[in-house]
């Protein structure tokens, strides 16, 4: 079942009308139909421009959560060759919400980690809707340390509604698992790039996001709290999520203005779910540029810059 | 951060309206009526059930630091409204007026049993001690100063989590404070984290759980997600004592639970183990 977003419905309707006219034109070609098709095509492109060039933050959140959006393992196939998954945190278990392993991008060997969501109930049971447990964060750190040991750059793909707020997660100290990653990532002596490919849900996203370059896909979001959670607190009603999305400044454009991220990776018209191959090409180009920029820097330079990058975040006044 | 946002400015403090003003306080844990002066004398710990009442940052400093040793640093940092979030600065000003603090953390140099430390104390009365740019910056500067001056840093945490009103900037304070702790750790200098009621969200998921030593006050609530969120997500009953200090010690997070009356002495003993050369000097 194809998921159609509310604001895309006029487009889908027009596209269906076009299909019908084309079908009729194929059966019995006529000049009249051909003219109608041309008119409708114009309308379609005009609609596309109107809708996609004025996306609100809340519409982008919906695109970021679209079930046909490419996920981490889709990009592992589309942007990389030879992805070799490595499992387990070596203590408790393996977290399928946070796959990771070796991969090769245009001949360059890297360590790839990230959160993975599922598209249907069965997959989501396995992937826990992209919400990792402590084991996921500890596995991610194990792989990052291994990358450091063998001089491989790290690429982290962020796509999570948040770390999992469950009983077992709390018992096994999910907060400590994230905190430990934040501290340790500041000391890993290899180039690291993260990219928010869909949802950047709070601490669960940041837990693999302390990197030299932080990129975002055009329609991804990155936020301290979900728009629904923010709305529940501010308006006592989750229905106000669209206003909350606006207030939180969570879109890639806003985060670029706040100097939180280093670059925005474009998506095909209407979002990555419309064309996985094109989305992957853009992402691949963005990752290669980032890796090229970091390749010439010594580990010492990387660590100093990484520290200063995160050290600078925050706005305040200080009276003399 | 949901559960702690219900408190309004008007509810600050623990005085109940049906009691004669300033004289009696009802213990929220055992319900006993306690004489205010007796409670203050007992370090604001219930004389019946040992419930630890919330302390203000100043009260805590008075309990911990050698007399007259505390010198506040970075007192002039004030919040701005980076996202243009509705009513945010009005809220900050209201809490400043109510608490006499400029922000939710007080930082400074102090001596504990004669040993120099950098001290950061979060005050839950100030917007649920949520962490925005100022809180993150003050804690980071305290840690960096400890690294520079080669001494220990001690943080008393209490927090509803990252401060929603500053959005992503609040989230980034988690990385910033943790980064400073990486340097303190690489310099082989101690960090003692003390968890007090309640420590949750982005503070738990950053500096609060990174201590070389993690202490907790008895029965304080420690968690990543609030208990209501956990219950709603998992659709199951929470285990007894879930997210208490005792529960977290049993699950390996907390080194030891320290009653308020023993806190200063415990910190002194720990510092002598962690900085033996400094202690001998």
């Amino acid at each position: 079942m194809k998921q159609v977003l509310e604001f895309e419905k006029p487009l889908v309707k027009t596209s269906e009308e076009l299909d019908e006219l084309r079908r009729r034109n194929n059966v019995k070609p006529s000049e009249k139909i051909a003219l109608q098709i041309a008119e409708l095509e114009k309308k379609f492109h005009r609609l596309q421009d109107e809708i996609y060039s004025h996306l609100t933050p809340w519409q982008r959140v919906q695109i970021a959560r679209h079930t046909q959006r490419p996920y981490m393992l889709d990009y592992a196939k589309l942007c990389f060759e030879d992805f070799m998954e490595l499992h387990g945190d070596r203590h408790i278990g393996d977290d399928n919400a946070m796959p990771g392993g070796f991969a090769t991008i245009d001949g360059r060997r890297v360590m790839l980690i990230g959160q993975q969501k599922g598209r249907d109930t069965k997959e989501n049971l396995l992937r826990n809707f992209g919400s990792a447990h402590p084991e996921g964060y500890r596995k991610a750190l194990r792989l990052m340390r291994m990358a450091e040991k063998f001089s491989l750059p790290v690429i982290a793909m962020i796509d999570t509604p948040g770390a999992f707020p469950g009983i077992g997660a709390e018992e096994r100290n999910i907060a400590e698992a994230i905190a430990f990653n934040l501290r340790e990532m500041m000391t890993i002596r290899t180039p690291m790039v993260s990219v928010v490919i869909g949802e950047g849900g709070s601490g669960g996203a940041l837990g693999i996001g302390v990197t030299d370059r932080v990129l975002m896909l055009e329609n991804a979001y990155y936020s301290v709290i979900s728009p629904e959670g923010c709305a529940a607190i501010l308006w006592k009603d989750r229905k106000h999520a669209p206003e909350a999305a606006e207030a939180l400044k969570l879109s890639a454009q806003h985060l670029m203005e706040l100097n939180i991220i280093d670059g925005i990776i474009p998506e095909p018209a209407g979002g990555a779910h419309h064309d996985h191959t094109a989305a992957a090409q853009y992402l691949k180009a963005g990752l290669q540029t980032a890796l090229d920029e970091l390749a010439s820097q010594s580990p010492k330079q990387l660590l100093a810059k990484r520290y200063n990058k995160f050290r600078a975040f925050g706005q305040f006044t200080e009276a003399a | 951060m949901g559960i702690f946002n219900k408190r309004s400015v008007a509810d600050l403090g623990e005085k109940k309206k049906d009691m004669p003003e300033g004289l009696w306080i009802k213990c929220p844990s055992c319900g006993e009526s306690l004489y205010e002066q007796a409670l203050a004398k007992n370090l604001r710990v219930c004389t019946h059930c040992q419930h630890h009442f919330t302390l203000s940052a100043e009260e805590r400093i008075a309990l911990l630091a050698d007399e007259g040793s505390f010198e506040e640093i970075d007192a002039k940092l004030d919040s701005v409204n980076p996202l243009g979030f509705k009513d945010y600065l009005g809220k900050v000003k209201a809490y400043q007026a109510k608490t006499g603090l400029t922000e939710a953390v007080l930082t400074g140099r102090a001596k504990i049993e004669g040993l120099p430390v950098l001290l950061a104390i979060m005050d839950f009365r100030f917007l649920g001690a949520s962490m925005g740019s100022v809180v993150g910056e003050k804690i980071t500067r305290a840690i960096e100063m400890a690294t520079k001056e080669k001494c220990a840093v001690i943080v008393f945490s209490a927090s509803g989590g990252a401060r929603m009103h500053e959005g992503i900037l609040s989230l980034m304070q988690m990385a910033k404070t943790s980064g400073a702790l990486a340097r303190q750790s690489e310099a082989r200098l101690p960090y003692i984290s003390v968890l007090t009621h309640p420590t949750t969200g982005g503070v738990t998921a950053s500096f609060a759980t990174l201590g070389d030593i993690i202490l907790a006050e008895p029965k304080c609530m420690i968690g990543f997600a609030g208990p209501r969120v956990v219950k709603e997500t998992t659709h199951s009953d929470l285990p007894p004592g879930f997210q208490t200090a005792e529960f977290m010690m049993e699950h390996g997070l907390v080194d030891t639970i320290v009653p308020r009356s023993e806190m200063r002495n415990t910190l002194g003993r720990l510092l002598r183990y962690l900085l033996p050369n400094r202690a001998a000097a």
Side-chain angles (χ1 to χ4, degrees), chain A residues 125-139:
Chain A
L125 274 175
L126 178 71
R127 304 295 178 187
N128 200 33
F129 300 87
S131 281
H133 280 78
E135 295 72 54
Y137 291 94
R138 291 174 182 140
K139 170 170 68 178

Side-chain angles (χ1 to χ4, degrees), chain B residues 101-112:
Chain B
L101 298 166
T102 51
E103 256 294 343
V105 69
L106 208 58
T107 53
R109 290 189 189 83
K111 284 190 173 163
I112 292 178

Side-chain angles (χ1 to χ4, degrees), chain A:
Chain A
M1 254 282 287
K2 198 161 187 268
Q3 183 194 0
V4 177
L5 300 172
E6 193 57 39
F7 61 88
E8 288 188 300
K9 280 184 180 159
L11 272 175
V12 174
K13 193 168 155 268
T14 314
S15 157
E16 279 166 3
E17 286 168 12
L18 260 174
D19 287 347
E20 173 60 18
L21 283 175
R22 285 188 187 123
R23 192 186 58 78
R24 274 165 56 197
N25 200 38
N26 274 346
V27 179
K28 195 179 163 206
S30 87
E31 211 160 291
K32 195 179 151 209
I33 296 179
L35 269 173
Q36 281 178 327
I37 289 174
E39 272 305 302
L40 213 50
E41 273 174 345
K42 260 195 231 158
K43 185 185 166 191
F44 183 82
H45 290 298
R46 203 180 57 233
L47 266 178
Q48 218 182 12
D49 271 1
E50 273 170 26
I51 295 174
Y52 293 148
S53 59
H54 299 97
L55 289 172
T56 64
W58 177 240
Q59 288 172 335
R60 289 189 198 276
V61 169
Q62 289 169 282
I63 295 177
R65 291 172 177 169
H66 199 288
T67 52
Q68 263 85 43
R69 195 171 170 82
Y71 293 148
M72 181 254 188
L73 291 177
D74 297 313
Y75 289 123
K77 279 202 199 86
L78 293 167
C79 307
F80 297 83
E81 299 140 47
D82 193 34
F83 176 58
M84 275 183 80
E85 191 171 351
L86 303 167
H87 296 270
D89 70 343
R90 296 280 161 84
H91 294 282
I92 302 273
D94 186 36
D95 190 340
N96 287 304
M98 184 86 82
F102 297 122
T104 303
I105 179 165
D106 239 20
R108 183 166 6 215
R109 291 182 180 83
V110 302
M111 184 65 81
L112 176 65
I113 56 169
Q115 289 107 350
Q116 172 70 25
K117 295 183 188 176
R119 288 212 164 80
D120 53 34
T121 310
K122 196 177 150 221
E123 274 181 26
N124 269 319
L125 274 175
L126 178 71
R127 304 295 178 187
N128 200 33
F129 300 87
S131 281
H133 280 78
E135 295 72 54
Y137 291 94
R138 291 174 182 140
K139 170 170 68 178
L141 184 63
R142 173 173 85 85
L143 298 183
M144 289 188 265
R145 282 291 181 206
M146 178 151 54
E148 174 188 43
K149 184 172 175 183
F150 300 109
S151 301
L152 299 171
V154 173
I155 293 174
M157 292 195 186
I158 296 169
D159 191 10
T160 180
F164 191 60
I167 295 168
E170 295 280 340
E171 287 176 337
R172 300 191 298 281
N173 304 318
I174 181 80
E176 189 273 345
I178 292 172
F180 193 66
N181 279 18
L182 302 183
R183 190 183 82 184
E184 295 300 294
M185 288 183 84
M186 205 62 94
T187 67
I188 293 177
R189 300 165 66 86
T190 194
M192 300 208 285
V193 177
S194 62
V195 51
V196 187
I197 57 170
E199 294 190 86
S202 197
L206 186 62
I208 56 168
V210 184
T211 52
D212 304 301
R213 290 283 186 279
V214 180
L215 308 173
M216 256 175 101
L217 260 57
E218 190 182 338
N219 295 306
Y221 81 88
Y222 197 177
S223 180
V224 69
I225 186 170
S226 71
E228 290 89 343
C230 177
I233 293 170
L234 278 191
W235 287 276
K236 316 281 172 224
D237 189 346
R238 298 166 78 88
K239 266 186 266 168
H240 290 277
E243 290 103 298
E246 194 84 45
L248 286 166
K249 304 255 192 290
L250 43 66
S251 69
Q253 289 73 10
H254 280 136
L255 296 176
M256 197 75 196
E257 285 162 25
L258 286 166
N259 288 318
I260 297 293
I261 57 167
D262 301 298
I264 300 176
I265 295 178
E267 292 183 29
H273 58 285
H274 288 290
D275 188 345
H276 287 203
T277 313
Q281 277 169 355
Y282 291 133
L283 175 58
K284 189 173 179 179
L287 290 173
Q288 282 172 314
T289 307
L291 289 174
D292 285 343
E293 285 167 5
L294 298 171
S296 60
Q297 298 182 31
S298 71
K300 205 177 153 189
Q301 283 173 317
L302 286 171
L303 292 193
K305 285 186 188 167
R306 196 182 301 155
Y307 187 87
N308 292 336
K309 174 186 176 67
F310 286 88
R311 179 66 186 85
F313 291 145
Q315 290 184 27
F316 49 86
T317 57
E318 188 167 17

